Amino acid sequence: GNALNDIRDIEIDRINRASRPLPSGSLTIATAWVISLSLFVLGLGLAFWMTWWCLAIAAINSVLLIIYAFWSKSIGILKNLSVGLLVGSVFLFAAVEISRITPTLAILAACAALATFAREVVKDIEDARGDSQHVAATLPLSIGSGPANLVAYGALAAAVLLATVPFLIGDKSVWFLALVILGGLIFAVSAYFKSPSTRQRLIMAGSIGELIAFAIGH
């Protein structure tokens, strides 16, 4: 999916990220196509040998990745939501069977989706200059960078609040809650930086902190 997206965004990346493999010329478009198609086939093929639940998620995600690559610049906030769903679905996929999805696992998936959505919005703010030259309809270009930033941090706040639920229902320890709060503090600190690049990296760091909370806070 990332390879396909890079193929579609090569002209925008010449402005925003000229050092990446395709715009820099270190990788040809033909090679990128081979990589992308091969991995789509391999991913779906492997999922076929697992369960219907895994295959369904892999198939839906493949469609989302194709939609993202070809139309992400014209679908506004749906672009960011789709990436959030892709990341959140990783945890649902890992359950292998739908019957094994617990409330805490579902909450983890939702938190991952919200945090990823927020980071994608901030990345769009970072890419606004290049996107504006290619008539893109990203959220920052549609409503402005300031309001888009508020949407991103609203999603992060929702993710942190939702992450406290497993502790409140007695499924996680106080250490879990402490790590969740720590991740939330990293999100809060990121808001004070003017650079979208710095903000989105700190959001990633906070997301890793929240993931560690779920991993070791049981």
Side-chain angles (χ1 to χ4, degrees), residues 15 17 29 36 69 135 146 194 196 210 213 216:
I15 300 170
R17 297 182 178 87
I29 292 180
S36 180
V135 200
K194 291 184 178 181
E210 301 288 2
I216 69 173

Side-chain angles (χ1 to χ4, degrees), residues 128-159:
R129 184 172 67 89
D131 289 343
S132 65
Q133 297 184 30
H134 289 80
V135 200
T138 61
L139 191 63
L141 293 180
S142 299
I143 67 174
S145 293
N149 202 52
L150 290 175
V151 171
Y153 280 90
L156 288 175

Side-chain angles (χ1 to χ4, degrees), residues 117-135:
F117 165 79
R119 182 168 176 263
E120 286 297 309
V121 171
V122 174
K123 285 172 67 177
D124 280 347
I125 295 172
E126 181 183 3
D127 293 344
R129 184 172 67 89
D131 289 343
S132 65
Q133 297 184 30
H134 289 80
V135 200

Side-chain angles (χ1 to χ4, degrees), residues 58 116 128 147 178 187 192 203 210:
T116 302
F187 291 152
Y192 288 93
I203 290 171
E210 301 288 2

Side-chain angles (χ1 to χ4, degrees), residues 54-143:
C54 292
L55 179 60
I57 291 178
I60 292 169
N61 284 2
S62 296
V63 172
L64 284 175
L65 287 166
I66 292 169
I67 291 173
Y68 181 91
F70 282 87
W71 296 286
S72 65
K73 301 303 182 183
S74 62
I75 58 177
I77 196 172
L78 293 177
K79 162 185 180 287
N80 313 107
L81 288 170
S82 66
V83 180
L85 289 172
L86 286 165
V87 173
S89 71
V90 170
F91 301 98
L92 302 180
F93 183 97
V96 182
E97 297 280 359
I98 191 171
S99 60
R100 296 178 61 191
I101 297 176
T102 64
T104 295
L105 182 59
I107 288 169
L108 171 57
C111 290
L114 286 166
T116 302
F117 165 79
R119 182 168 176 263
E120 286 297 309
V121 171
V122 174
K123 285 172 67 177
D124 280 347
I125 295 172
E126 181 183 3
D127 293 344
R129 184 172 67 89
D131 289 343
S132 65
Q133 297 184 30
H134 289 80
V135 200
T138 61
L139 191 63
L141 293 180
S142 299
I143 67 174

